[in-house]
């Protein structure tokens, strides 16, 4: 199966409920809530995903990409990164193992934080919107 997915969390997840959704919606289809292994850190203005297998679960949403290049043209600009950007780019787009609430697993794109998390507060339960 060649479906591509996107895992959305944090401020992007909140932004998708607002005007950004109109620009983004034609290129994706919402498939349900999901999780990735990692930790979610509060940086003050927005959260940062630290992806680490074996860590707790970070809650988010899974979208099936209908037009990945168009969706990433919007999202990469929003996150101010490109997947080929080397450090010290703040965020990078990466593939991660994701899981739907029903336990089905998929590989999904997401944006992970790319700087040391030295002055951040852990977000309990990995859900920025649940705080």
């Amino acid at each position: 199966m060649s479906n591509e997915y996107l895992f959305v969390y944090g401020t992007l997840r909140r932004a998708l409920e607002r005007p950004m959704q109109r620009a983004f919606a034609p290129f994706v289809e919402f498939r349900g809530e999901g999780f990735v292994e990692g930790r979610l850190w509060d940086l003050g203005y927005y959260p940062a995903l630290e992806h680490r297998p074996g860590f707790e679960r970070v809650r988010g949403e899974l979208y099936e990409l209908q037009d990945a290049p168009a969706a990433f043209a919007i999202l990469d600009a929003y996150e101010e990164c490109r997947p080929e950007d080397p450090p010290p780019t703040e965020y990078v787009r990466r593939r991660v193992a994701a899981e739907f609430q029903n336990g089905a697993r998929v590989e999904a794109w997401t944006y992970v934080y790319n700087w040391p998390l030295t002055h951040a507060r852990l977000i309990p339960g990995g859900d920025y919107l649940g705080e």
Side-chain angles (χ1 to χ4, degrees), residues 10-11 14 41-48 91 128:
T11 50
R14 183 171 285 167
W41 297 91
D42 186 350
L43 300 179
Y45 297 111
Y46 47 85
Y91 283 91
Y128 184 70

Side-chain angles (χ1 to χ4, degrees), residues 14-37:
R14 183 171 285 167
L16 290 179
E17 297 172 356
R18 297 201 169 91
M20 186 180 175
Q21 178 139 11
R22 282 191 294 267
F24 185 65
F27 311 118
V28 300
E29 188 168 333
F30 176 70
R31 292 297 186 195
E33 287 198 2
F35 306 91
V36 300
E37 290 181 332

Side-chain angles (χ1 to χ4, degrees), residues 4 24 27-28 65-77 93 109 111:
E4 284 196 281
F24 185 65
F27 311 118
V28 300
L65 294 164
Q66 307 296 319
D67 184 342
F72 291 136
I74 294 167
L75 297 174
D76 287 354
R93 177 167 29 111
W109 291 100
Y111 293 85

